[in-house]
């Protein structure tokens, strides 16, 4: 019995040690999350966030961030990447992929959205109102289906304008969703499941 208890205790400690502190999570993903600047024909600029997903500099963001753009730039602190082109998109799922050609940024680690639990601790990193790479903490509130029959993660991580396309992460710092929208008065915030992102990559 004593040996069984010891084994359970060691397993429990090992499971807990997989979880990172918020500081470590931010450190892990800071070079994987960027600012998106989308310019329209009138010279207006729309700002969102994006996540680097491979070694060739492919970035995923929300389609609505870039839908009216005739020019797109990606920024990461002092680095500015121009000549960004659209690789593919799905307007219904609000996903869009950008080719930057930049190989200096770090691809994010992928998790899965298939086993998320209500109450699970999660983190959002993006650039709300242009405040680059801000981190917020919350929990999974539930899984929802919107009016277009698209599955979304409901969460309590606060996001606002400019956060769209940012990373939603589990406690290991793995991507489990992409921030998409929020209703601030009612504290309702939503993310696109990472499995939908991966499905588009084939």
């Amino acid at each position: 019995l004593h040996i069984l208890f010891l084994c359970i205790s060691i397993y429990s400690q090992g499971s807990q040690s997989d979880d990172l502190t918020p500081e470590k999570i931010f450190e892990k993903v800071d070079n994987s999350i960027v600012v998106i600047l989308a310019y329209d024909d009138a010279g207006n600029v729309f700002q969102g966030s994006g996540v680097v997903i491979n070694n060739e500099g492919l970035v995923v963001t929300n389609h609505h961030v870039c839908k009216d753009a005739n020019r797109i730039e990606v920024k990461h602190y002092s680095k500015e990447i121009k000549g960004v082109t659209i690789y593919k998109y799905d307007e219904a799922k609000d996903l869009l992929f950008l080719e930057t050609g930049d190989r200096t940024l770090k691809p994010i680690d992928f998790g899965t959205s298939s086993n998320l639990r209500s109450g699970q601790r999660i983190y959002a990193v993006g650039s709300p109102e242009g405040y680059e790479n801000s981190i917020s903490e919350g929990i999974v509130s539930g899984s929802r289906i919107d009016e277009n029959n698209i599955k979304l993660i409901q969460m309590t991580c606060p996001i606002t304008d400019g956060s769209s396309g940012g990373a939603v992460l589990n406690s290991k710092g793995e991507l489990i969703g992409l921030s998409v929208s929020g209703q601030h008065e009612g504290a309702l915030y939503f993310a696109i499941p990472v499995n939908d992102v991966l499905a588009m990559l084939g």
Side-chain angles (χ1 to χ4, degrees):
L1 183 62
H2 179 71
I3 294 173
L4 178 62
F5 176 78
L6 181 63
C7 290
I8 292 171
S9 176
I10 291 171
Y11 175 77
S12 175
Q13 290 173 7
S15 298
Q16 290 173 357
S17 68
D18 289 341
D19 292 345
L20 301 177
T21 65
E23 293 93 337
K24 289 294 185 184
I25 289 171
F26 183 81
E27 182 180 319
K28 180 177 180 179
V29 304
D30 188 30
N31 286 326
S32 305
I33 299 164
V34 297
V35 176
I36 308 294
L37 300 172
Y39 299 85
D40 69 10
D41 290 327
N44 301 308
V45 59
F46 300 90
Q47 182 255 310
S49 304
V51 181
V52 182
I53 57 173
N54 70 12
N55 287 313
E56 282 71 49
L58 195 67
V59 171
V60 65
T61 186
N62 290 152
H63 177 268
H64 76 258
V65 172
C66 301
K67 67 176 183 178
D68 296 321
N70 65 2
R71 178 167 58 94
I72 302 168
E73 296 178 2
V74 169
K75 179 175 171 291
H76 185 259
Y77 297 113
S78 60
K79 176 189 285 290
E80 295 180 356
I81 305 168
K82 303 181 187 296
V84 175
T85 57
I86 294 173
Y87 173 61
K88 65 163 64 172
Y89 65 88
D90 186 325
E91 186 171 0
K93 290 187 176 179
D94 204 4
L95 291 171
L96 182 140
F97 296 83
L98 297 168
E99 290 185 314
T100 69
D102 185 277
R103 297 175 184 235
T104 65
L105 297 172
K106 179 185 175 185
I108 204 152
D109 290 337
F110 289 109
T112 179
S113 50
S114 60
N115 58 359
L116 297 179
R117 308 174 311 278
S118 294
Q120 177 179 339
R121 181 68 53 186
I122 55 173
Y123 304 85
V125 180
S127 300
E129 308 292 345
Y131 292 102
E132 188 165 356
N133 284 17
S134 303
I135 185 170
S136 62
E137 185 177 15
I139 60 171
V140 174
S141 301
S143 180
R144 310 298 177 204
I145 303 291
D146 72 5
E147 64 274 10
N148 298 314
N149 203 36
I150 302 296
K151 183 180 287 188
L152 294 172
I153 302 164
Q154 184 186 342
M155 61 184 184
T156 64
C157 294
I159 57 174
T160 187
D161 294 342
S163 299
S164 293
V168 179
L169 309 153
N170 62 19
S171 57
K172 296 177 177 61
E174 299 168 335
L175 187 71
I176 56 94
L178 212 65
S179 298
V180 65
S181 67
Q183 178 182 318
H184 314 303
E185 295 79 4
L188 291 171
Y189 307 101
F190 297 95
I192 301 165
V194 72
N195 289 12
D196 288 349
V197 176
L198 294 172
M200 278 192 69
L201 291 176

